[in-house]
Amino acid sequence: MSENTEVEVGATMSPENLELLGRVSAALGAEAIIESAQAVGDLVVRVANASWREAAKACRGALGFNYLSFIGGIDWMPAPVVGGEAGDTSSPVQPAEQTYGAAGSAGRFQVFARVASTSVPRSGLTLKVDLDEESPAVDSWVSIYPGADWHERETWEMLGIGFNGHPSLRHLYLPAEFEGNPLRKDFPLLAREVKPWPGLVNVEPMPGEDVEEEAE
Amino acid sequence: MRSLAVDIWGGWATTLGIKTLIVMGLIPVGALVLGYTFLLKMMSHMQSRLGPMDPGGFHGWYQLIGDGIKFIQKEDIIPEGADKRVFKMAPAIVVLSTFLMFVVLPGGPDFVVAKDLDVGVFYALAVSSLSVIGVLMAGWASSNKYALLGSLRAAAQLIAYELPLVLAVIGVVIQAGTMNLQDIVRFQASGEIFGWDGLGLPLILTQIVGFGLFMIAAQAELSQPPFDMPVAESELVAGYMVEYTGFRFLFFFIGEFGTAFVYAGLAATLFLGGWSVPFIDVDADIMNVVGPLVLFAKIMLVAFLMFWARFTYPRFREDQLQSLAWKWLIPIALANILVTGALKVAF
Amino acid sequence: MPKFEVDPAVHRGLADARLNVEIDNGDMILNLGPQHPATHGTLRLVVRLDGERVVASDVVIGYMHRGYEKLTEYRTYPQITTLINRIDWLSSFANEVPFVHAAEQLMGIEAPPRAEYIRTALTELSRIATFLLFLGEMGLQVGAITPAFYGFRDREYVLNAIESATGGRFHPNFNRIGGLKDDLPWGWIAETRESMRKVLKSCDEFEDLVVSNPIFQKRTRGIGIIPAELGASYGVSGSNLRASGVDWDLRRDGKPYLVYNDLDWKVWTHSDGDSFARYWVRLQETRESARMVLQLLDVMPSGPVMTKVPKIIKVPEGEVWVNTENPLGEMGYYVISKGATGPFRVKIRTASLSNVSIAPWLLRGVYLPDIITVLASLYFILGDIDK
């Protein structure tokens, strides 16, 4: 199963998704769509940064996606290797080269969102948008989907992605004085740096063993 | 020598001392009896709670003692920003109000808890509203917003429900023609239902509306659900009591349950015939022994109703509580007075 | 400008008094939480009050943020199911299902039918457990103590069923990629059937004790009305949205998952959108879930509970969005895999976060007690907000 690493980007789309893609490009304009793909049955559309707010308007308006599921961000930078020696499978070892998922990406940061319709069964659309690597920012969706407020605040604090036009971009989860953006791949998980994950073998000494080790 | 001893024994100071002791003893006893019977046992049964049924043997009799020990050994905390003198005084004033209400409760033909007043009803209802001062003091002195909100709610509520409480009783007073609690009991014992005097005439039969109003208003005066906004543990945490710990909280607790005991006693006296019991002459000597027991039984019956409602109903909102008092209870009480008065004149 | 010397302690006292009462502008800032009995944990609500009326409010969250999205990057797939158990800790089993499905869909495997049936049954059991707690809790929040105890009592039957099947009352960690850890224990079906009868009876009890209570209706009807369109754009989901008349249930309307399509059941909606409607809808859904479990017990297929999976689970490259109808609403995982033993990025979409984000809008102009009613009826779990 592990050989099957082919991404589903090139796979032929289901007729429903093709139809949806047609509607999306009709509502948004074909030039706003950079790429589209199907990820396990779901349509993923990557739109231009400048059309992000237009995309939301089209979703809520013409496409009838009245429900905002989430907004989040992705940092495509290769993950730091956290596993132990070779052969230790207790921690994931991600590939070292920078690759992008469904519908691709222009750079390290992406914002993605999921919208759906509450009146049409099995409806939904994943939208992705490329960001500038130096100062990642994109238009805010709050004026279109009020629920975007908290999601954008979270994305801002976790990945350092700005949202233009957001009414009050302040910390949501983290304390106000927190520095850094924890979900960026270059933000170390300190607990793991200090002590490797025990993994397959329970290397944590039991209370009794602790004494013996000290004695040695 | 002997006459001197009698003089001192019968002197007013001693009498006052004894009476004070009796009343002071009655408050915690009444509070504990209600607390044990209803709060711990009845509630546990109704709510399928296993905890209070567990410690000790029969039905967890030890629970109450454990609770008491817990309260006493807890640290006495006074918030830094509190007005310390007022903070300490507040629970005492709440209990004082309860204390004063006990004074006029009659328990037998020659036995009134402390003093048989001619204006007993008037007096009892008047001193009952003293507790609001204690509550306001507690809320203000705690230096806590929840406490402040709680005490303001309590003040608004106690004032609003004082009126239906008094108006509900007026029907009884009109019918009995006296404000003396002892005479109201005798009136009920000697009354007759369409010429049949077997049961006397418990005024609940003619004043059923008044009884209902009295119970509702008393529930509000006690700030028990459905009228417990002043303490509303899910909104105001515990309202004016939020900063109180240990034995100071215990004071509030005893005050609350002691007052419940007195209100139940008043309701029993005013509407259920008090200490009198059918088929025994009211002036028989035996009544001085049987009377208090009868009264106690009736108190428990009324308290059962009170606590039943307490454990069943959700809480009103503050504005709903006010509109209930002003738009429903008071007009109904006034109409009740009118009808009672008219019938009294007619017959 | 103090013209006289003031003892610092007195000065501090004065400052406190000002802060506490804010006589200046007639408004009072009240801090509900992070430790408050009505906030189910550490939700903090800063409310500006005019008398008892709410002028404005702000929700402060994050007191229990555990950084699951970061932690998933350092865990392998089987390790993550332990982690996500703790998101919505009342319905842990339901949290596991979408994640395990995501991994299975990326790997192109499917759990055997019996496993899917057991998963469905356990998901519905956790829904019942969650809702029973709500049905009692909501009573408690509006001032009736008794329903809370009934809720806890009856939830215990359901938790016992979950425990005897999975070994854990709250955090089963029973799902494996490709199936389940174990088959059901002997006698489970009969016992669960008995428990479901008790649950149905207890629903009737709640109907008598709470729903039909005039005071409860007075307290909840017309309070915190969520307009359907606004609710959807806020991302409010689950029973909260269905109580606003939106006939949308991912068990029926989402991508087919588990075995809901094989069952005979109904989606309940209420047109009012107020707190009462949310209570009512959850009550009906509890009944519906109990009936679903009873059906599942009748038609449970035999067979293995685990499909063949490699010893070390590597999930092929790709990304997938799996969302399910959890007790609190739409729960979803956007899993991006790069072919390693752990995911590259997991975006966790929790229901409570979006459900509570509408609270400041709902709370404008209500009375102080209504804050509690509205929060209780939105029904959130702090772990589900703070993830």
Side-chain angles (χ1 to χ4, degrees):
Chain A
M1 231 149 277
S2 54
E3 289 89 63
N4 178 24
T5 49
E6 195 181 318
V7 192
E8 232 179 312
V9 176
T12 45
M13 272 192 206
S14 64
E16 297 87 32
N17 281 341
L18 276 176
E19 189 264 339
L20 176 59
L21 183 61
R23 282 198 291 137
V24 172
S25 60
L28 195 53
E31 67 283 357
I33 300 173
I34 298 175
E35 207 175 328
S36 59
Q38 179 173 297
V40 196
D42 279 317
L43 181 64
V44 182
V45 175
R46 186 171 138 220
V47 300
N49 191 307
S51 331
W52 184 242
R53 194 195 295 271
E54 288 307 311
K57 274 187 192 151
C59 284
R60 182 128 196 236
L63 296 169
F65 291 131
N66 58 343
Y67 173 83
L68 174 77
S69 190
F70 72 84
I71 296 177
I74 316 170
D75 178 3
W76 290 108
M77 186 182 161
V81 175
V82 288
E85 332 57 88
D88 176 12
T89 50
S90 62
S91 289
V93 182
Q94 304 288 355
E97 69 276 14
Q98 187 160 328
T99 53
Y100 307 113
S105 171
R108 187 179 154 191
F109 293 111
Q110 263 192 330
V111 161
F112 69 134
R114 174 89 190 167
V115 288
S117 164
T118 55
S119 47
V120 184
R122 279 163 228 180
S123 63
L125 173 66
T126 309
L127 289 162
K128 287 187 175 181
V129 63
D130 300 335
L131 306 172
D132 180 41
E133 205 151 316
E134 290 308 311
S135 57
V138 73
D139 284 337
S140 166
W141 273 16
V142 175
S143 53
I144 299 144
Y145 291 103
D149 185 357
W150 286 16
H151 292 283
E152 289 182 354
R153 278 168 67 186
E154 184 194 353
T155 312
W156 169 77
E157 70 175 353
M158 290 296 172
L159 285 148
I161 295 168
F163 286 91
N164 306 323
H166 189 283
S168 67
L169 219 45
R170 59 208 157 94
H171 280 293
L172 181 73
Y173 285 132
L174 304 171
E177 58 274 15
F178 192 91
E179 284 174 20
N181 304 106
L183 272 185
R184 288 193 175 185
K185 297 284 181 188
D186 49 10
F187 187 96
L189 184 62
L190 275 176
R192 189 55 69 84
E193 303 279 322
V194 174
K195 188 166 179 261
W197 180 247
L200 287 181
V201 198
N202 189 4
V203 295
E204 286 219 23
M206 299 301 281
E209 295 170 32
D210 200 27
V211 182
E212 285 168 31
E213 265 176 34
E214 276 171 19
E216 283 165 19
Chain B
M1 277 302 281
R2 194 178 166 279
S3 64
L4 189 64
V6 169
D7 280 354
I8 293 173
W9 185 242
W12 65 268
T14 321
T15 323
L16 184 69
I18 292 170
K19 285 180 172 173
T20 310
L21 277 177
I22 290 176
V23 180
M24 278 171 71
L26 262 178
I27 297 173
V29 167
L32 292 186
V33 165
L34 290 195
Y36 180 80
T37 321
F38 296 115
L39 188 67
L40 294 180
K41 300 308 154 206
M42 187 179 105
M43 180 154 89
S44 305
H45 275 290
M46 286 174 73
Q47 300 182 339
S48 312
R49 285 164 85 159
L50 301 179
M53 311 291 279
D54 191 50
F58 176 71
H59 280 233
W61 61 269
Y62 182 70
Q63 177 73 35
L64 191 71
I65 300 169
D67 276 347
I69 294 171
K70 179 192 78 177
F71 277 126
I72 288 163
Q73 55 136 24
K74 266 191 176 174
E75 188 188 354
D76 176 28
I77 300 169
I78 299 175
E80 199 195 26
D83 186 340
K84 293 193 176 52
R85 218 149 41 99
V86 180
F87 185 83
K88 286 178 186 164
M89 255 157 67
I93 289 182
V94 171
V95 175
L96 180 74
S97 145
T98 315
F99 175 89
L100 292 175
M101 280 173 79
F102 262 106
V103 166
V104 287
L105 207 58
D110 309 315
F111 172 59
V112 175
V113 171
K115 180 78 185 159
D116 186 13
L117 287 176
D118 278 342
V119 288
V121 176
F122 176 72
Y123 166 84
L125 296 178
V127 295
S128 76
S129 50
L130 275 182
S131 68
V132 70
I133 298 171
V135 168
L136 268 177
M137 283 165 68
W140 179 258
S142 292
S143 173
N144 181 311
K145 289 178 197 175
Y146 290 112
L148 182 68
L149 275 172
S151 68
L152 289 178
R153 281 182 178 189
Q157 172 175 334
L158 296 192
I159 289 165
Y161 277 82
E162 200 66 32
L163 211 51
L165 189 75
V166 172
L167 294 178
V169 173
I170 286 181
V172 173
V173 173
I174 290 174
Q175 217 178 339
T178 173
M179 283 223 240
N180 185 319
L181 285 168
Q182 202 59 293
D183 291 344
I184 290 175
V185 172
R186 284 171 201 278
F187 172 82
Q188 295 182 66
S190 60
E192 47 192 32
I193 306 167
F194 300 120
W196 176 61
D197 60 355
L199 277 179
L201 176 64
L203 284 173
I204 189 172
L205 296 178
T206 53
Q207 290 293 327
I208 181 78
V209 178
F211 180 71
L213 290 171
F214 185 89
M215 292 303 285
I216 294 173
Q219 199 78 344
E221 291 278 302
L222 292 165
S223 358
Q224 288 205 48
F227 306 104
D228 66 332
M229 299 75 150
V231 289
E233 75 287 341
S234 61
E235 308 153 20
L236 298 183
V237 195
Y240 57 89
M241 296 189 279
V242 66
E243 294 288 0
Y244 283 88
T245 56
F247 71 93
R248 290 189 205 284
F249 177 77
L250 188 64
F251 257 66
F252 276 121
F253 185 82
I254 286 179
E256 183 187 336
F257 279 79
T259 317
F261 194 79
V262 188
Y263 271 118
L266 277 179
T269 307
L270 292 172
F271 296 99
L272 300 178
W275 48 264
S276 70
V277 64
F279 312 118
I280 301 184
D281 184 38
V282 275
D283 288 320
D285 283 343
I286 187 90
M287 278 315 287
N288 279 324
V289 180
V290 177
L293 297 176
V294 170
L295 181 66
F296 180 73
K298 288 178 179 174
I299 284 176
M300 293 305 264
L301 181 71
V302 175
F304 172 75
L305 293 177
M306 283 179 170
F307 283 87
W308 191 7
R310 172 182 173 138
F311 302 142
T312 308
Y313 287 116
R315 172 189 315 127
F316 276 111
R317 211 168 56 201
E318 192 63 28
D319 58 320
Q320 292 166 346
L321 161 120
Q322 296 291 348
S323 70
L324 179 72
W326 296 102
K327 290 186 190 157
W328 293 98
L329 297 186
I330 292 173
I332 292 173
L334 289 172
N336 183 44
I337 292 171
L338 213 63
V339 172
T340 313
L343 289 177
K344 173 91 177 174
V345 175
F347 298 99
Chain C
M1 276 292 159
K3 286 177 184 157
F4 45 91
E5 285 296 306
V6 185
D7 179 10
V10 173
H11 212 260
R12 197 165 58 235
L14 287 175
D16 280 355
R18 276 276 294 283
L19 209 88
N20 277 344
V21 189
E22 304 221 351
I23 297 162
D24 307 4
N25 56 2
D27 284 0
M28 181 164 95
I29 304 278
L30 190 71
N31 222 334
L32 279 119
Q35 270 125 27
H36 185 279
T39 56
H40 312 261
T42 53
L43 184 82
R44 179 172 160 218
L45 212 64
V46 185
V47 201
R48 180 177 277 275
L49 289 177
D50 175 16
E52 290 238 355
R53 202 177 271 276
V54 178
V55 179
S57 61
D58 189 20
V59 182
V60 184
I61 60 173
Y63 289 93
M64 224 186 59
H65 183 58
R66 294 153 293 176
Y68 280 165
E69 289 184 11
K70 184 75 178 171
L71 289 175
T72 52
E73 295 171 5
Y74 290 79
R75 298 265 198 286
T76 62
Y77 286 96
Q79 287 167 351
I80 289 173
T81 52
T82 328
L83 204 63
I84 57 180
N85 253 306
R86 272 87 180 157
I87 291 177
D88 165 13
W89 52 64
L90 286 184
S91 46
S92 313
F93 189 88
N95 292 343
E96 297 172 11
V97 171
F99 183 78
V100 170
H101 273 171
E104 286 171 359
Q105 287 179 17
L106 280 174
M107 292 170 75
I109 57 173
E110 257 182 32
R114 183 172 173 84
E116 291 283 292
Y117 269 83
I118 298 174
R119 278 178 183 175
T120 315
L122 287 171
T123 305
E124 289 312 307
L125 282 176
S126 28
R127 189 185 314 274
I128 296 168
T130 312
F131 281 177
L132 278 177
L133 194 61
F134 164 79
L135 297 173
E137 183 78 21
M138 177 88 182
L140 184 68
Q141 303 295 4
V142 297
I145 337 163
T146 309
F149 288 98
Y150 289 176
F152 272 102
R153 181 194 65 195
D154 298 329
R155 188 176 73 129
E156 212 58 29
Y157 304 130
V158 183
L159 288 180
N160 285 343
I162 294 178
E163 187 186 9
S164 63
T166 67
R169 287 172 77 230
F170 286 115
H171 302 301
N173 193 22
F174 194 55
N175 275 298
R176 297 288 182 269
I177 293 167
L180 293 169
K181 180 177 169 285
D182 276 320
D183 207 337
L184 294 173
W186 189 83
W188 190 82
I189 288 185
E191 273 173 31
T192 309
R193 197 170 279 142
E194 193 48 46
S195 302
M196 288 307 105
R197 292 215 181 91
K198 282 179 188 160
V199 166
L200 286 173
K201 199 168 141 258
S202 129
C203 285
D204 296 343
E205 222 168 67
F206 280 115
E207 189 115 40
D208 286 347
L209 188 65
V210 185
V211 173
S212 60
N213 188 312
I215 301 177
F216 180 80
Q217 298 209 12
K218 240 181 138 84
R219 279 297 305 279
T220 51
R221 277 196 190 270
I223 302 299
I225 297 175
I226 302 179
E229 254 326 279
L230 189 83
S233 64
Y234 261 101
V236 173
S237 55
S239 322
N240 291 329
L241 201 58
R242 282 193 288 280
S244 296
V246 180
D247 191 9
W248 188 57
D249 190 320
L250 287 168
R251 288 175 285 179
R252 186 193 64 194
D253 300 328
K255 277 187 274 181
Y257 75 104
L258 296 177
V259 294
Y260 290 112
N261 287 343
D262 302 353
L263 301 175
D264 173 29
W265 62 289
K266 156 176 181 6
V267 176
W268 291 85
T269 58
H270 197 289
S271 52
D272 286 0
D274 55 8
S275 304
F276 178 80
R278 293 194 275 276
Y279 191 92
W280 188 86
V281 165
R282 288 206 179 88
L283 179 64
Q284 305 310 326
E285 286 183 356
T286 314
R287 285 197 176 124
E288 202 63 49
S289 291
R291 285 190 209 114
M292 277 156 97
V293 174
L294 283 174
Q295 287 180 45
L296 284 164
L297 298 176
D298 288 337
V299 294
M300 186 84 67
S302 60
V305 292
M306 190 75 193
T307 186
K308 270 187 100 66
V309 287
K311 197 153 183 222
I312 291 166
I313 288 178
K314 278 195 176 173
V315 173
E317 197 169 337
E319 53 187 74
V320 64
W321 162 248
V322 177
N323 56 348
T324 57
E325 183 72 34
N326 270 31
L328 299 174
E330 185 203 19
M331 169 119 195
Y333 297 92
Y334 200 100
V335 179
I336 300 174
S337 173
K338 287 201 172 182
T341 50
F344 181 77
R345 167 97 168 93
V346 179
K347 168 68 196 172
I348 305 171
R349 195 271 180 206
T350 54
S352 298
L353 179 74
S354 298
N355 287 352
V356 172
S357 71
I358 202 175
W361 188 89
L362 285 178
L363 294 181
R364 292 173 314 170
V366 302
Y367 288 107
L368 179 63
D370 296 335
I371 299 177
I372 312 303
T373 317
V374 168
L375 283 183
S377 69
L378 283 175
Y379 198 40
F380 55 89
I381 300 296
L382 239 292
D384 206 36
I385 300 177
D386 279 356
K387 57 190 180 217

